[in-house]
Amino acid sequence: MQGFEKKMGLLMGFSMSFVLTLVGMSSAGKLTLPGFLLSFTVSFLISLLAGKIIPAKKIAAEWTRKLNLEPGSLKARLLDALVTDLAYSPFMTLVMVSIAYFQATSHGAKIPFIPMLLKSELISFAVAFVLGFVLPPLFVKILMKDKDKE
């Protein structure tokens, strides 16, 4: 099961980082290929590190059990997406917005940090929640097909 969880973490980290970097840079109106590649790489590395430190899946499983939800049910999947989103999105968004802010202000931009952060947090939270709900079942199917081929 350890290999399955590791692959799932890589798929989720890659997907979340890719989409959130794309959405974040697009919403700021500053989407460039070099900027995207740098931001995506940083985001992906942070997501891998966070995945090793934050036991979001264990926390979600515990809440699922405490709330007497059937694992895999719609309510349990919504709860899992919410817990995972709350565990990762605020920190990841803070780091990525801070990097973007310091890059922009080092080039002379005059932008307020808090409004930039709040807008990004709201967008990231919504997008990450949807991805955290939609992607896991798809990735489980993919990984199970790969396992059946072995």
Side-chain angles (χ1 to χ4, degrees), residues 68-101:
N68 294 319
L69 300 176
E70 180 69 31
S73 68
L74 178 62
K75 288 180 182 179
R77 288 184 47 231
L78 287 167
L79 177 64
D80 184 60
L82 178 64
V83 168
T84 304
D85 198 3
L86 288 171
Y88 295 119
S89 291
F91 175 71
M92 293 287 296
T93 303
L94 174 64
V95 170
M96 298 310 295
V97 168
S98 296
I99 291 169
Y101 176 80

Side-chain angles (χ1 to χ4, degrees), residues 59-142:
I59 294 168
E62 181 67 26
W63 275 101
T64 298
R65 191 171 58 250
K66 282 184 180 183
L67 296 173
N68 294 319
L69 300 176
E70 180 69 31
S73 68
L74 178 62
K75 288 180 182 179
R77 288 184 47 231
L78 287 167
L79 177 64
D80 184 60
L82 178 64
V83 168
T84 304
D85 198 3
L86 288 171
Y88 295 119
S89 291
F91 175 71
M92 293 287 296
T93 303
L94 174 64
V95 170
M96 298 310 295
V97 168
S98 296
I99 291 169
Y101 176 80
F102 289 118
Q103 284 178 334
T105 56
S106 72
H107 295 288
K110 303 272 191 248
I111 49 177
F113 180 74
I114 297 298
M116 180 179 170
L117 176 64
L118 292 177
K119 175 186 171 189
S120 295
E121 288 285 2
L122 289 172
I123 292 169
S124 294
F125 188 81
V127 172
F129 180 81
V130 171
L131 292 174
F133 180 75
V134 171
L135 293 179
L138 298 174
F139 290 157
V140 166
K141 286 179 184 177
I142 291 168

